[in-house]
């Protein structure tokens, strides 16, 4: 087993499937807890001078909701922002007052690093909250991209090895400290309508995405959210996302 996070990343790129977690928040000095020459400490990430981070995702990916969609209708990719949009656990999700109806989406994030030749290589996976104006996204599909432009909470661990085939998460919604409702989310690569590699490489092989040094964080969709469960979120509400199998907990409050 490697001790250096940079070595762990390289072994993952080379095909090592051992599940390892590299914490960039706890348990070590800043220098030791971030993968060298990959992620630089920020909140939670900061670009190196030679790197840029692009955060985006795919919608309508899960078979439980979109099994009748043909392969010809593979989901479009949307842009969420750069690393400046990423939030730590506990930070406020600002700007939700402009949404027709804001909601959380508990998702797996796939992380890719583009090498000096412009080839995107898989690094690992994370968990995050794909904050969405769900009414705008569904009512006006042409505005999907606009409906995704909200700050993005992520859990501060990069898990090396392949993403889980199936994992159960839990979402809990609170208002004034009282639980409004909670529900489980089933996600993972086995839940997707389209093969991961087909979606990802079809995207990252395009020249604007293949700039050497680019880090891609790609949300892979969600089968269920609070809006679907009849829980209308509003400013001052708190959303908690948990994936117990990975000791993941993401808690953030909405702010107008």
């Amino acid at each position: 087993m490697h001790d250096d996070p940079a070595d762990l990343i390289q072994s993952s790129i080379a095909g090592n499937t051992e599940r390892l977690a590299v914490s960039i928040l706890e348990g070590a000095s800043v220098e030791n807890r971030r993968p060298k020459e990959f992620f630089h400490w920020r909140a939670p990430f900061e670009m190196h001078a030679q790197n840029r981070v692009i955060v985006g995702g795919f919608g309508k990916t899960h078979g439980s909701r979109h099994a009748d969609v043909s392969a010809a209708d593979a989901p479009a990719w949307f842009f969420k922002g750069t690393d400046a949009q990423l939030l730590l656990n506990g930070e406020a999700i600002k700007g939700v007052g402009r949404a027709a109806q804001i909601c959380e989406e508990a998702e797996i994030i796939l992380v890719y690093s583009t090498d000096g030749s412009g080839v995107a290589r898989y690094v690992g996976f994370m968990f995050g909250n794909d904050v969405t104006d769900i009414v705008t996204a569904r009512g006006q599909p042409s505005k999907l991209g606009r409906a995704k432009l909200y700050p993005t909470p992520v859990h501060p661990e990069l898990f090396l090895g392949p993403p889980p085939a199936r994992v159960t998460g839990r979402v809990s919604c609170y208002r004034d400290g009282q639980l409004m409702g909670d529900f489980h989310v089933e996600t993972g690569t086995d839940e997707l309508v389209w093969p991961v590699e087909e979606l990802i490489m079809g995207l990252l092989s395009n020249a604007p995405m293949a700039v050497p040094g680019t880090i891609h964080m790609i949300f892979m969709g969600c089968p269920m959210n609070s809006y679907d469960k009849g829980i209308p979120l509003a400013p001052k509400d708190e959303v908690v996302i948990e994936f117990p199998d990975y000791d993941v907990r993401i808690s953030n409050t909405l702010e107008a």
Side-chain angles (χ1 to χ4, degrees):
M1 182 177 294
H2 303 278
D3 293 323
D4 191 320
D7 292 336
L8 292 175
I9 286 176
Q10 291 305 316
S11 68
S12 178
I13 290 173
N16 186 343
T17 59
E18 182 177 3
R19 196 195 112 191
L20 298 168
V22 180
S23 174
I24 61 169
L25 282 184
E26 299 175 350
S29 67
V30 171
E31 285 301 319
N32 289 333
R33 70 190 179 205
R34 73 169 187 260
K36 297 177 181 177
E37 298 181 356
F38 186 72
F39 288 132
H40 181 74
W41 172 247
R42 187 181 177 275
F45 301 133
E46 179 180 304
M47 294 180 287
H48 278 284
Q50 74 274 22
N51 290 135
R52 61 176 183 168
V53 178
I54 295 178
V55 185
F58 289 102
K60 298 184 178 180
T61 56
H62 278 62
S64 58
R65 290 176 60 182
H66 305 289
D68 58 339
V69 178
S70 72
D73 295 321
W77 173 81
F78 55 80
F79 175 71
K80 284 195 70 71
T82 68
D83 59 313
Q85 286 287 90
L86 301 178
L87 299 178
L88 291 168
N89 187 50
E91 291 189 311
I93 304 172
K94 298 181 179 180
V96 303
R98 70 177 187 269
Q101 178 58 62
I102 204 71
C103 79
E104 86 304 324
E105 293 196 342
E107 300 186 20
I108 294 170
I109 308 166
L110 302 187
V111 182
Y112 289 75
S113 178
T114 306
D115 66 18
S117 300
V119 177
R121 301 186 184 278
Y122 174 72
V123 173
F125 66 95
M126 305 176 70
F127 294 94
N129 180 355
D130 178 13
V131 180
T132 301
D133 179 353
I134 193 65
V135 166
T136 296
R138 293 182 181 174
Q140 299 174 280
S142 63
K143 295 183 178 180
L144 172 64
R146 184 186 304 177
K148 294 290 186 176
L149 295 176
Y150 290 89
T152 307
V154 297
H155 187 264
E157 284 188 330
L158 173 68
F159 294 89
L160 303 186
R166 184 173 287 106
V167 64
T168 300
R170 177 179 177 178
V171 177
S172 304
C173 305
Y174 296 87
R175 179 167 294 166
D176 298 325
Q178 301 297 313
L179 181 67
M180 291 195 295
D182 59 355
F183 55 94
H184 287 91
V185 174
E186 298 287 338
T187 187
T189 56
D190 282 356
E191 302 294 317
L192 304 182
V193 177
W194 295 271
V196 170
E197 285 303 308
E198 179 181 327
L199 290 175
I200 298 297
M201 302 321 295
L203 170 70
L204 300 186
S205 61
N206 293 286
M209 308 295 283
V211 176
T214 302
I215 295 164
H216 295 278
M217 300 177 65
I218 304 173
F219 281 82
M220 294 307 296
C222 175
M224 185 67 61
N225 57 55
S226 55
Y227 179 78
D228 296 322
K229 301 297 288 186
I231 308 170
L233 296 178
K236 298 184 180 181
D237 290 346
E238 179 188 11
V239 177
V240 179
I241 294 173
E242 298 172 285
F243 286 93
D245 289 348
Y246 291 88
D247 196 25
V248 163
R249 187 179 190 274
I250 309 168
S251 175
N252 300 86
T253 300
L254 303 174
E255 185 174 304

